[in-house]
Amino acid sequence: MTSTYTPQGTTTRLTPADEAASAKEAIDNMAQEAFHDWPNEAGFDGLTEHRGPIELPVRGAIPVWAAGSLYRTGPGQCKVDDTKSGTFHTSHWFDGLAHTHRFDMVPTPCGEGANGSTVRVHYSSRRQSDKAAADIKAEGAMRSMSFAQRTDPCVGLFGKFMSVFTKRPDFYNVGVTVGANLPSFPHQLPKTRSSGHRTPAPSNILLGTDASVLCALDPLTLEPLSFPKQSTLHPSLTGPLSGAHGLSDPVTGSYTNYNLSLGKNPLYRIFTTSGTETKILATILAPPAYIHSFFMTPSSVILCVPVAHYALNGLKMLWAGNMRDAWTPFDPSEPTRWYVVDRLHGRGVVAEFASEGGFFFHVVNAWEEEGTGDVVCEVVDYGSRYIVDAYYYEEGEGKGGKAGEFWNEGMRREKCFPRLRRYRLKRGEFTDGGGEGANRKRGKGKRELPVAEVIMEIPSPHVGDMPALNPRYQGKKHRYAYFLISRVLSTMFDGIAKVDTETRESLRWEGRKGHTPGEAIFVPRPGTDGEVVEEDDGVLLSVVLDGENRTSYLLCLDARTMTELGSAECEFAVAIGLHGRHVPLREDTVG
């Protein structure tokens, strides 16, 4: 038996015929500043640690096969009190102090969980940025490199000039993505076992960011244990930047990413590590840019370079003190570049393509088409970089009229929304490459590159950002993808959408007013021997902020119907985080 469950929200089916009306509704909401009635402040401020574990009451049901640990990380507290300069405020959401959360879903025999549920849920959290917070408290400023922290207006030109020659402290604030069981990185055995319930313990948990350093956690206590750098994997990986979303091969478990060095000859080094060996697949001499994620198929790595180039080959970061202010101005006439790197035969870069200028945070998936061998890449694409500035706290909290001023200025209202795009990279344009670790140099003159062809586009708000899909379809052609969407009822997100890329239909879950969902994590149903499990047969797990009541809950949605199955309720707010990972429960941990 399970407890009586009253859904927190509703589900709506939308068709391609609704796309224009949905887009107009979002633009109208922006013009009318509808987001002022949607509170998000509790997801940024007043957040506390709960080292726990705390058992959460479960309403409805969470399937036993979804048991395991959901790790969530991202920005936590947005200010530091009592510094020598008063209260320090973080400017940008991405620079909030790292805070990681763990929801343990553990099966209980004979329905002995709270309210008769067959799954108990325990919660714990811990900050990973205590040293950074202590330095801010002592200095009254964020001295380490950031994503977009605004410069203190009291710091004059001389102070900025001198900062170029001063080594910035390494008080790492790492908390964007969660990786589990990564090869070649330290295997962190838990220091302690949680009492009262048994939980899975992956060999390691590593938090990632857009730098070439990770944060290794105790998988159970979430205590930061070390900050391994990519240079420990290979002596050539000394560049300071990388992709937050490194990718693991679903078959071999090998880990792939890029390392970007700056300066006179900036280089992208595409590498893969298996636990016993780290290989440089290719080096690419090209303008350095902000690249949050990349594509991978069974045969190729595809590095897509958006129009987010670092000025002075990245050296402007020393002056700006952050990544965002080091970018050159957005120029839509500048093309987006695509580099295809061979994964299997040491041929380095085997193709280059170009497409219209744009920006993206997140890729969805990539695969090789049967018959033609063409590579198809799916990405959440923006026609501008306005979305980056939308995540400054003044805009994100929607206070003081700042959000309205921002979004209703100039072309931002029309240029800020994402679109889901599929690009085709034709196999006929591939070459034999240039050998193992081939160094592909940028040409001095403008040369015609083959075009990355757009073969599908679905507009917002039928799609959004923070994409997810069934992990069994990574590197394979998929039909369904899931997104956090915004109809601009909130300055953040106001719903979760399932998109059928064949029919273009969208199933939208939306909570009550003020209920802000976090990234949805797909957990596939295991199935039995010989059973064919459909692609959308699973559940979505999302941590939802109830901004009105300043609490949060772990939501479990049926991934097929986008209807609610159950939730685990927190009596406190959990930060509006960035990304997470579900680590399945081992069969021997029931009890």
Side-chain angles (χ1 to χ4, degrees):
M1 295 291 293
T2 60
S3 62
T4 302
Y5 183 69
T6 302
Q8 302 273 13
T10 57
T11 302
T12 305
R13 182 180 297 274
L14 299 166
T15 71
D18 301 310
E19 288 176 357
S22 297
K24 183 179 183 302
E25 178 189 14
I27 290 176
D28 290 345
N29 287 338
M30 184 177 290
Q32 297 162 12
E33 302 184 15
F35 42 74
H36 288 306
D37 295 327
W38 192 290
N40 284 319
E41 186 178 359
F44 303 126
D45 196 12
L47 301 164
T48 56
E49 285 184 317
H50 297 272
R51 296 192 178 182
I54 301 169
E55 183 163 5
L56 305 179
V58 176
R59 300 170 55 251
I62 297 174
V64 172
W65 49 261
S69 291
L70 175 67
Y71 292 88
R72 288 275 297 152
T73 195
Q77 194 67 7
C78 66
K79 66 183 183 183
V80 178
D81 293 320
D82 301 322
T83 79
K84 74 174 191 177
S85 304
T87 298
F88 170 83
H89 293 271
T90 305
S91 305
H92 198 279
W93 180 35
F94 295 175
D95 289 321
L97 298 174
H99 194 159
T100 301
H101 314 264
R102 174 178 163 132
F103 293 83
D104 289 323
M105 294 160 283
V106 183
T108 57
C110 304
E112 295 175 0
N115 298 318
S117 170
T118 56
V119 173
R120 291 180 181 267
V121 178
H122 296 82
Y123 170 81
S124 56
S125 75
R126 188 164 184 152
R127 296 184 178 121
Q128 284 73 46
S129 51
D130 286 347
K131 290 184 178 179
D135 187 67
I136 291 171
K137 192 161 190 172
E139 300 296 329
M142 181 178 285
R143 298 192 297 152
S144 54
M145 188 64 68
S146 67
F147 177 81
Q149 179 66 22
R150 286 174 172 148
T151 303
D152 186 339
C154 296
V155 177
L157 287 175
F158 180 74
K160 292 190 72 173
F161 177 78
M162 292 305 297
S163 70
V164 174
F165 303 99
T166 304
K167 185 179 185 300
R168 294 179 180 272
D170 291 334
F171 296 121
Y172 299 118
N173 185 26
V174 179
V176 177
T177 56
V178 180
N181 302 315
L182 300 186
S184 301
F185 292 98
H187 284 201
Q188 307 289 353
L189 296 177
K191 287 186 175 181
T192 61
R193 299 293 302 186
S194 300
S195 60
H197 63 285
R198 301 179 70 185
T199 53
S203 62
N204 58 28
I205 289 290
L206 291 117
L207 307 182
T209 186
D210 296 304
S212 59
V213 61
L214 295 95
C215 176
L217 302 184
D218 181 298
L220 295 184
T221 68
L222 307 180
E223 176 189 359
L225 301 176
S226 64
F227 292 90
K229 296 183 178 181
Q230 291 176 355
S231 58
T232 63
L233 305 178
H234 192 284
S236 296
L237 303 178
T238 56
L241 302 181
S242 189
H245 292 267
L247 293 174
S248 295
D249 187 292
V251 177
T252 67
S254 63
Y255 174 80
T256 300
N257 209 330
Y258 74 88
N259 178 273
L260 174 57
S261 59
L262 306 174
K264 182 179 179 181
N265 296 305
L267 281 177
Y268 297 88
R269 290 180 172 89
I270 316 299
F271 70 91
T272 187
T273 186
S274 63
T276 58
E277 182 183 19
T278 298
K279 292 182 179 180
I280 307 298
L281 299 178
T283 60
I284 304 169
L285 179 62
Y290 173 76
I291 307 174
H292 189 62
S293 59
F294 59 93
F295 304 93
M296 189 167 74
T297 72
S299 302
S300 304
V301 175
I302 302 96
L303 189 72
C304 180
V305 183
V307 184
H309 301 147
Y310 293 110
L312 302 176
N313 284 342
L315 297 182
K316 189 178 177 182
M317 264 188 278
L318 298 175
W319 172 268
N322 69 63
M323 300 166 74
R324 181 255 179 240
D325 290 338
W327 293 339
T328 58
F330 183 79
D331 181 357
S333 68
E334 188 76 20
T336 294
R337 299 280 182 135
W338 304 70
Y339 298 90
V340 182
V341 175
D342 174 51
R343 289 183 62 199
L344 303 179
H345 307 294
R347 295 185 298 164
V349 176
V350 296
E352 293 182 48
F353 294 83
S355 60
E356 66 175 316
F359 177 78
F360 71 95
F361 285 118
H362 300 112
V363 308
V364 181
N365 197 16
W367 63 91
E368 296 147 16
E369 291 206 325
E370 294 185 14
T372 65
D374 292 351
V375 173
V376 178
C377 299
E378 189 168 291
V379 61
V380 177
D381 180 81
Y382 293 85
S384 73
R385 294 200 306 245
Y386 293 139
I387 189 63
V388 175
D389 292 347
Y391 291 135
Y392 278 106
Y393 280 117
E394 288 182 337
E395 283 75 34
E397 292 183 21
K399 296 189 299 184
K402 293 289 186 180
E405 293 174 11
F406 175 81
W407 285 119
N408 289 302
E409 178 183 325
M411 293 295 293
R412 287 175 180 159
R413 193 186 305 174
E414 287 75 27
K415 294 288 187 179
C416 65
F417 292 104
R419 56 203 175 188
L420 179 65
R421 277 188 164 183
R422 277 186 182 173
Y423 290 87
R424 181 188 302 279
L425 310 181
K426 292 184 178 179
R427 181 66 178 84
E429 301 291 351
F430 290 20
T431 69
D432 290 334
E436 186 172 355
N439 183 11
R440 179 60 60 96
K441 297 183 179 181
R442 55 188 171 192
K444 292 184 178 179
K446 289 189 176 180
R447 61 190 182 91
E448 287 294 325
L449 290 175
V451 174
E453 176 190 0
V454 178
I455 59 174
M456 184 194 76
E457 182 174 319
I458 301 176
S460 173
H462 284 208
V463 299
D465 211 327
M466 300 292 193
L469 73 160
N470 186 332
R472 295 173 183 163
Y473 284 76
Q474 179 186 331
K476 304 175 183 177
K477 185 175 182 179
H478 67 272
R479 177 174 178 176
Y480 303 105
Y482 302 83
F483 304 87
L484 297 187
I485 62 167
S486 173
R487 293 161 291 154
V488 203
L489 297 173
S490 165
T491 54
M492 301 298 287
F493 303 105
D494 50 45
I496 306 173
K498 172 189 179 182
V499 174
D500 184 332
T501 61
E502 291 186 5
T503 67
R504 298 175 66 100
E505 285 189 334
S506 178
L507 267 180
R508 180 183 72 210
W509 176 88
E510 57 186 294
R512 301 168 189 167
K513 186 179 77 172
H515 287 223
T516 302
E519 177 191 48
I521 304 294
F522 190 103
V523 182
R525 186 173 67 83
T528 57
D529 290 342
E531 180 186 5
V532 177
V533 179
E534 297 296 328
E535 179 184 342
D536 58 349
D537 192 350
V539 296
L540 298 177
L541 299 176
S542 173
V543 180
V544 181
L545 172 72
D546 177 353
E548 295 279 3
N549 295 307
R550 303 183 72 87
T551 59
S552 293
Y553 56 93
L554 175 63
L555 175 68
C556 182
L557 291 176
D558 184 322
R560 303 187 81 171
T561 64
M562 295 299 286
T563 55
E564 298 176 36
L565 298 176
S567 63
E569 312 289 328
C570 301
E571 295 181 349
F572 43 83
V574 175
I576 301 176
L578 291 171
H579 298 291
R581 182 171 300 273
H582 178 266
V583 178
L585 191 70
R586 294 197 310 267
E587 292 182 359
D588 64 344
T589 55
V590 176

